[in-house]
Amino acid sequence: MMMLVISIVMGILPLFGIVWTFTTGTLETQDGLFMSLILLTLSGVFLLNAYWEMRDHGMLGFLHKPKAAAAPAKSTPAAATSSAAKAAPKAAEKEAALKSEG
């Protein structure tokens, strides 16, 4: 749990650095741009770690939809033979049509 708190704090602190860079007007310089990119990367890494910690502790259960237990449709042997019987005449008709064309 302590790692979660540390990750959240270390994820928010770099955002204050970006706000400071923006308020001082150094965001328009090359140094300010790269400083902001580095701080965003640090923030992203720590907040991603916080997300993983929260997921592992089960705190994010509301984000995941419950999976419905759908039973797979099982075909009976009678249904399989009837569908095969229906497919056989159609295949014979297609074969006869191809022979008459060629």
Side-chain angles (χ1 to χ4, degrees):
M1 188 68 170
M2 189 63 182
M3 189 65 174
L4 176 62
V5 173
I6 291 171
S7 293
I8 290 174
V9 169
M10 293 299 290
I12 293 173
L13 277 177
L15 299 177
F16 289 124
I18 294 171
V19 170
W20 175 77
T21 304
F22 183 72
T23 56
T24 59
T26 58
L27 189 63
E28 292 91 24
T29 65
Q30 193 171 12
D31 289 339
L33 174 69
F34 283 111
M35 174 77 92
S36 296
L37 290 174
I38 290 168
L39 290 173
L40 275 174
T41 303
L42 281 171
S43 181
V45 166
F46 281 110
L47 289 177
L48 182 64
N49 188 36
Y51 167 75
W52 285 336
E53 286 286 325
M54 288 174 21
R55 186 190 62 189
D56 290 345
H57 287 290
M59 296 179 186
L60 300 175
F62 62 92
L63 291 178
H64 305 292
K65 294 180 182 176
K67 295 179 181 177
K74 294 182 180 179
S75 62
T76 60
T81 56
S82 65
S83 63
K86 290 178 185 175
K90 289 181 183 178
E93 289 174 10
K94 286 182 183 178
E95 214 174 285
L98 288 174
K99 286 182 182 177
S100 64
E101 287 178 5

